[in-house]
Amino acid sequence: MKKLLYILFGLVLLVVIAIGVLVAVINPNDFKPLIADEVKKATGRELVIDGDMSWRFWPSLGLSVEKLAFKNPQGFAEPDMLKLDRAEMSVAVMPLMSDTLDIGVVTLYGAHVFIQTLPNGKSNLDGLTGEAQPAQKDTDTAAHEPASSSASEPVEDTGTATAWTIAIGGVDLVDASAIVRDDQTHAVS
């Protein structure tokens, strides 16, 4: 019985030390520029994180981000397509070992969404799927590279990269608002 108690105490101590090392070594604010760059690459839009990013440990391991804004392209009535006062999410640790990102409920506080369609039919939702940008990139790449080189590169990349599975438990909106504006029909809702 005494051995079991020592093993249990050792495991709890190991978890506490691991959390302490995580907090001391990894500052989530260091990832702000990387996150903004990746969003810019994927969508062509700017993501601004004005607040702090911090670790959350209760009730589960996660992150909290404050003052977040996803910008609209030029020409729209509001500068931000999405503004958040705070966002929180939790991540299950064990699935990370098997290339699975298991995110619990994502909670968005003070979310404001602005969707607009201009008189010419262009919307601030256009281009968010990332389908138009890679197609253009592939066309440009194919025009400048020999056919044999471009055919062999994807085979090498797929051998070294592993596919991650991402699961989200849900989204909880607290104090949220949305405006949908259609300038073609002059409707606002």
Side-chain angles (χ1 to χ4, degrees):
M1 182 70 175
K2 203 172 189 181
K3 278 187 179 181
L4 183 62
L5 189 59
Y6 284 138
I7 290 172
L8 187 59
F9 178 73
L11 288 174
V12 169
L13 186 62
L14 184 65
V15 168
V16 169
I17 290 172
I19 290 173
V21 168
L22 179 74
V23 171
V25 173
I26 300 175
N27 181 359
N29 288 304
D30 294 342
F31 295 102
K32 284 183 189 180
L34 176 66
I35 294 168
D37 288 344
E38 289 301 316
V39 168
K40 181 86 170 176
K41 285 179 193 174
T43 64
R45 309 249 182 110
E46 186 179 355
L47 177 71
V48 177
I49 305 172
D50 283 332
D52 283 337
M53 292 179 68
S54 58
W55 293 109
R56 277 187 10 170
F57 296 104
W58 185 259
S60 60
L61 180 65
L63 284 172
S64 178
V65 181
E66 296 179 358
K67 303 294 181 196
L68 187 85
F70 184 63
K71 298 294 186 181
N72 270 324
Q74 292 292 335
F76 289 90
E78 288 189 16
D80 301 325
M81 180 177 158
L82 172 69
K83 281 189 342 188
L84 299 172
D85 290 337
R86 187 174 80 227
E88 295 178 350
M89 68 175 218
S90 60
V91 177
V93 177
M94 291 306 290
L96 293 173
M97 307 290 182
S98 60
D99 296 335
T100 301
L101 181 59
D102 188 4
I103 300 170
V105 175
V106 177
T107 306
L108 307 175
Y109 296 91
H112 175 72
V113 178
F114 177 75
I115 299 172
Q116 181 180 8
T117 302
L118 297 175
N120 63 6
K122 183 179 176 186
S123 170
N124 60 350
L125 296 174
D126 294 344
L128 289 180
T129 59
E131 294 172 1
Q133 292 172 349
Q136 182 182 2
K137 183 180 178 184
D138 290 342
T139 305
D140 294 344
T141 304
H144 297 295
E145 290 183 6
S148 62
S149 173
S150 64
S152 65
E153 284 182 0
V155 174
E156 292 173 18
D157 289 342
T158 54
T160 59
T162 58
W164 277 71
T165 304
I166 300 174
I168 298 178
V171 177
D172 188 16
L173 298 172
V174 178
D175 194 25
S177 64
I179 295 175
V180 179
R181 177 176 160 177
D182 189 346
D183 292 345
Q184 290 180 319
T185 61
H186 303 292
V188 176
S189 55

